[in-house]
Amino acid sequence: MKLLEELEQLFVTPALATNRKVVVRTAPSPTGNLHIGTARLALFNYLFARKHGGKIILRIEDTDTTRSKKEFEDDILESLRWLSLSHDEFYRQSERGSVYQKHLLRLIKEKKAYLSREPSQSNPAVEIEVVRLRNQNRIISFEDEIRGTISFDTMELGDFVIARSLSDALYHFAVVVDDVEMGVTHVIRGDDHISNTPRHILIQEALGAPRPVYAHIPLVLAPDHSKLSKRHGATAIREYREQGFLPEALINYLALLGWNPGTTQELFTLSELIKEFDLSQVHKSGAIFDIEKLRWFNREYLRRLPPAEALALIGNALPEAIKALPHFSEERLQKVAPLLIERIAVFSDIAKLVKEEELQYFFERPAVAPEDLAWKDTNAATIAEHLQYLCEKLGDIPEKMFTQDTVREAIFGYATEKGRGAVLWPMRYALSGKKQSPDPFVLSGIFGKEETIARLTAASATIAK
Ligand code: GLU
């Protein structure tokens, strides 16, 4: 064994000189919509490349023709675009068969690989001619940026198959040929590929190519530490987009999933991330996906949206049933928007508020139950008296000056004198029909003079009955 290790040192092809321009690749297989974990790998590649002024290759690994689908490729491209993760060059492995064939023929000619007639694994009655790599059965060691030195005895791999036929290269061969042809200097990928790396290095060396720097990133795990999958909820970026998450929030969250900036800063724009990102700060263990933390980030970004943008997005997320209510208008929605934003973490939460009837009263007169109008044991006559007084007092405020502040000013003295609960509770309840809602001044400001007085009048009529 010792001897083998020493021999290995002689064989090691030096890692690509660091003064070469950085070239990375994101290499998704289009067998599903863009997965959270793949998006995070794309982000790490993106940050690393942009930080070093490098080039980003997007390579669709669609050699598995039974599982690869165009619709998934479309989703991957669209989702990456939505996240603002751009690339500089684009390839599809399915269009590169002749490149793989050229290298297969060369390896065969150089006796580094050979054609082998053997029974097909799927149908032993049929004989096929596969291409096998001549394995020198060495210990392969490589330096991983995240894991440190990793060694494998490649003896057990034997002369492994690199192509099913001259025109059908296997995944491992295609990946290595592409990385070599595309001048990839840094392979930043999931650590589920660590066990493939010795194979890749053997192929690389047979091709006489320099070794890229490897950084195997620990996978994203579910809270129970298993592989993140459908049963843990949404795994595709598309689903988060459809729920109304903001791309900036997802990017920020994904960047901190398994990487830390070494400070307590949590909110980063993409350009700040480019500046701060460093492979040496990537954690060595799996990163746990935490939906609550993602919601926290989204809430932070929602709060920071320019009002016009927030309004447009709320408009999109608002169910038609709300837009059909009698008092719905863009103007009213604009006034409700800041309150609404306070109550959600993501736009899909709006549907929940609607289900709990928390939004309807802004756009239609609420039903008011007389027994709920009264504050503690105040009697009905007193409540009606307070409501009537409020109507008169508010009637004196000129329409143009009717705001939350002028309403407060107009009635606060009276409320203090008569008991704030006794006056402000029925006022608030009359306006919202809810035991919990924003305070009556805020509500008056939203409804305006006419509607505020109309709601107070209606409630006072109810209690008078
Ligand atoms: N296509 C592979 C995957 O989706 C990635 C291969 C690589 O990064 O080397 O997992």
Side-chain angles (χ1 to χ4, degrees), residues 132-281:
R132 288 183 177 274
L133 188 85
R134 263 185 228 288
N135 183 354
Q136 298 172 48
N137 301 323
R138 297 172 14 236
I139 306 270
I140 290 287
S141 296
F142 64 96
E143 282 306 313
D144 190 88
E145 289 289 296
I146 315 294
R147 297 285 192 93
T149 309
I150 299 178
S151 298
F152 275 95
D153 187 346
T154 64
M155 183 99 82
E156 65 202 49
L157 296 178
D159 287 354
F160 57 92
V161 177
I162 53 176
R164 266 179 235 104
S165 71
L166 278 176
S167 56
D168 191 4
L170 283 186
Y171 158 76
H172 296 297
F173 191 72
V175 164
V176 177
V177 167
D178 283 345
D179 285 347
V180 171
E181 288 252 333
M182 295 168 192
V184 170
T185 59
H186 292 74
V187 172
I188 303 171
R189 62 181 171 191
D191 68 3
D192 49 337
H193 287 289
I194 285 186
S195 61
N196 293 332
T197 306
R199 262 194 190 81
H200 294 181
I201 291 175
L202 288 175
I203 298 171
Q204 222 165 64
E205 292 180 352
L207 292 169
R211 186 181 295 185
V213 174
Y214 285 102
H216 285 96
I217 311 290
L219 295 184
V220 180
L221 302 175
D224 64 3
H225 291 247
S226 66
K227 199 174 159 200
L228 186 68
S229 72
K230 278 260 161 258
R231 72 191 165 87
H232 303 107
T235 51
I237 293 296
R238 164 175 296 271
E239 294 168 88
Y240 290 92
R241 180 182 178 176
E242 284 168 359
Q243 287 174 34
F245 281 89
L246 298 167
E248 297 81 4
L250 261 164
I251 286 287
N252 198 152
Y253 174 68
L254 290 177
L256 293 179
L257 193 55
W259 167 77
N260 79 68
T263 64
T264 53
Q265 184 178 347
E266 289 200 281
L267 296 176
F268 292 90
T269 62
L270 195 52
S271 33
E272 286 172 326
L273 286 171
I274 292 171
K275 228 164 73 216
E276 298 299 326
F277 186 77
D278 189 351
L279 282 174
S280 70
Q281 301 267 38

Side-chain angles (χ1 to χ4, degrees), residues 437-457:
S437 69
D439 75 51
F441 311 117
V442 169
L443 292 177
S444 304
I446 289 175
F447 295 137
K449 182 172 177 178
E450 192 186 326
E451 181 59 19
T452 299
I453 293 177
R455 290 189 184 204
L456 297 178
T457 308

Side-chain angles (χ1 to χ4, degrees), residues 364-436:
E364 69 181 346
R365 262 180 221 168
V368 167
E371 64 276 15
D372 290 331
L373 259 177
W375 170 252
K376 295 189 176 156
D377 46 10
T378 343
N379 63 41
T382 312
I383 301 287
E385 195 180 301
H386 290 331
L387 289 173
Q388 251 131 47
Y389 176 85
L390 292 175
C391 287
E392 276 165 41
K393 212 55 189 147
L394 298 185
D396 291 342
I397 304 176
E399 176 133 20
K400 276 213 167 67
M401 297 177 62
F402 195 93
T403 63
Q404 136 179 9
D405 293 334
T406 55
V407 170
R408 183 187 283 107
E409 224 169 274
I411 62 181
F412 210 71
Y414 178 76
T416 307
E417 182 192 325
K418 301 287 179 187
R420 285 190 200 154
V423 176
L424 299 181
W425 170 276
M427 178 180 179
R428 197 183 54 67
Y429 179 74
L431 293 175
S432 67
K434 289 268 161 201
K435 291 182 182 167
Q436 275 174 353

